């Protein structure tokens, strides 16, 4: 049990990669806060699964893009779990529209920056005082390999994920002296519920470009998150780790 006594907050833990991260962190002994926006049933199911495997978890609804709801999320979390956040996983994502430059508005870019820059900042500011006091903490930002691949018609998302890279490094420099580590995990294309409509041909096309010749699984991403949350990575900060079978080698 690598995370016994720790509390982890996973934004967007009700489905997709966040669901598997929540289960994996709990399996290592962490108390997990499963945050969600609308999918209460999904979040409660994750909590039930964690309890069934002997762990402790709570689901909390909160829109992480809004300052007041982030403050309430942390208050409710303190109240329900009786503890503070040791591990913050900035995972949640909203819709990811593919748009040409002509179709794009500044608002489309701003929406992505809101998820991947504003929300992590609001969350960090809420949990930072206690992390500094304790002299420890692990912030795990979930990026994407698109920073490396620069996918066409996706600049809103690619721009915001790129911002996460610099933000991670700058936070790591500033917070290292307080014993707080900040890292970025970059998944490759890892099919989850929302990819049900992606054609088998498109998946096969991607798979063929992956040196390890298979698609990523949510468990692959969750393993990296557990590693970065645990003491095993106590000398790792400011890093950008691609979990994509070698589809890109580094960012
Ligand atoms: N899957 C991939 O192929 C892939 C590849 C590269 C990077 N990533 C990154 O990995 C992360 C997870 O992706 P995913 O594919 O697992 O996403 P997903 O399945 O679409 O899940 C998104 C999660 O975010 C939550 N959410 C949405 N808006 C929210 C808000 N305003 N406040 C709080 N929670 C909110 C959703 O809650 P509800 O269920 O309540 O709506 C859901 O739990 C994202 O940062 C994504 O960019 C994923």
């Amino acid at each position: 049990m690598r995370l016994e006594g720790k509390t982890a907050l996973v934004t967007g833990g009700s489905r997709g990669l966040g669901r598997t991260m929540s289960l994996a962190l709990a399996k290592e002994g962490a108390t997990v806060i499963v945050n969600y926006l609308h999918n209460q049933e999904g979040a409660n199911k994750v909590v039930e699964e964690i309890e069934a495997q002997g762990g402790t978890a709570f689901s909390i609804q909160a829109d992480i893009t809004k300052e007041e709801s982030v403050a309430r999320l942390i208050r409710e979390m303190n109240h329900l779990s009786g503890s503070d956040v040791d591990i913050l996983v900035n995972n949640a994502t909203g819709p990811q529209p593919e748009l040409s430059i002509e179709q794009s508005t500044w608002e489309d870019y701003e929406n992505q920056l809101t998820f991947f820059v504003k929300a992590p900042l609001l969350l960090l500011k809420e949990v930072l005082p206690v992390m500094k006091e304790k002299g420890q903490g692990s912030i795990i930002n979930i990026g994407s390999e698109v920073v490396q691949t620069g996918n066409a018609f996706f600049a809103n998302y690619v721009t915001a994920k790129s911002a996460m890279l610099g933000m991670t490094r700058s936070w790591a420099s500033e917070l290292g002296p307080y014993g707080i580590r900040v890292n970025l995990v970059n998944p490759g294309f890892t099919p989850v519920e929302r990819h049900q409509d992606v054609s088998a041909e498109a998946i096969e096309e991607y798979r063929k470009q992956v040196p390890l010749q298979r698609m990523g699984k949510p468990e692959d991403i969750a393993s990296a998150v557990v590693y970065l949350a645990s003491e095993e990575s106590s000398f790792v900060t400011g890093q950008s780790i691609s979990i994509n079978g070698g589809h890109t080698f580094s960012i």
Side-chain angles (χ1 to χ4, degrees):
M1 296 284 240
R2 290 180 281 174
L3 302 174
E4 196 79 64
K6 303 281 184 197
T7 298
L9 167 58
V10 180
T11 67
S14 53
R15 59 191 160 95
L17 302 183
R19 172 187 171 274
T20 308
M21 290 171 198
S22 299
L23 291 166
L25 289 162
K27 212 168 185 175
E28 290 295 336
T31 294
V32 178
I33 309 304
V34 181
N35 157 250
Y36 66 99
L37 181 62
H38 297 303
N39 189 0
Q40 184 177 20
E41 196 186 332
N44 287 344
K45 210 162 155 249
V46 177
V47 170
E48 281 164 26
E49 281 181 74
I50 288 174
E51 287 171 347
Q53 69 188 20
T56 306
F58 303 95
S59 65
I60 303 181
Q61 190 284 336
D63 182 345
I64 48 115
T65 67
K66 304 266 182 335
E67 198 162 350
E68 324 75 66
S69 12
V70 167
R72 176 182 53 76
L73 166 63
I74 301 303
R75 277 200 309 275
E76 274 186 37
M77 191 220 83
N78 292 149
H79 178 71
L80 285 171
S81 68
S83 54
D84 298 298
V85 176
D86 301 294
I87 301 151
L88 169 63
V89 187
N90 287 308
N91 166 76
T93 178
Q96 303 173 358
E98 291 190 33
L99 300 167
S100 70
I101 293 165
E102 288 84 351
Q103 289 168 320
S104 301
T105 61
W106 164 238
E107 205 184 351
D108 295 314
Y109 282 60
E110 204 173 35
N111 286 342
Q112 300 302 317
L113 288 163
T114 297
F115 265 98
F116 303 129
V117 179
K118 180 185 176 188
L121 175 65
L122 294 176
L123 284 150
L124 178 64
K125 284 176 70 106
E126 281 294 327
V127 301
L128 194 54
V130 175
M131 284 189 176
K132 278 189 170 175
E133 206 179 293
K134 285 189 180 173
Q136 55 114 21
S138 176
I139 313 294
I140 303 160
N141 293 325
I142 306 302
S144 171
E145 68 170 13
V146 298
V147 175
Q148 189 84 334
T149 55
N151 304 24
F153 304 103
F154 212 23
N156 52 3
Y157 179 81
V158 176
T159 301
K161 288 294 190 186
S162 303
M164 275 187 134
L165 174 62
M167 186 175 77
T168 297
R169 289 176 173 160
S170 182
W171 284 358
S173 298
E174 184 173 335
L175 300 178
Y178 298 93
I180 301 166
R181 299 181 296 108
V182 190
N183 290 289
L184 182 69
V185 171
N186 308 299
F189 178 18
T190 312
V192 292
E193 298 92 311
R194 73 182 162 92
H195 295 115
Q196 268 163 5
D197 294 337
V198 177
S199 69
E201 292 76 25
I203 291 181
E204 179 56 12
E205 193 54 40
Y206 179 94
R207 190 199 62 79
K208 283 194 296 202
Q209 296 164 13
V210 176
L212 287 178
Q213 293 286 290
R214 70 164 172 85
M215 296 302 289
K217 294 180 289 188
E219 289 75 11
D220 297 316
I221 315 302
S223 299
V225 168
V226 168
Y227 166 69
L228 290 171
S230 76
E231 278 303 300
E232 281 171 29
S233 61
S234 63
F235 204 45
V236 178
T237 196
Q239 300 305 307
S240 170
I241 302 176
S242 298
I243 308 293
N244 62 0
H247 189 229
T248 57
F249 288 107
S250 66
I251 290 183

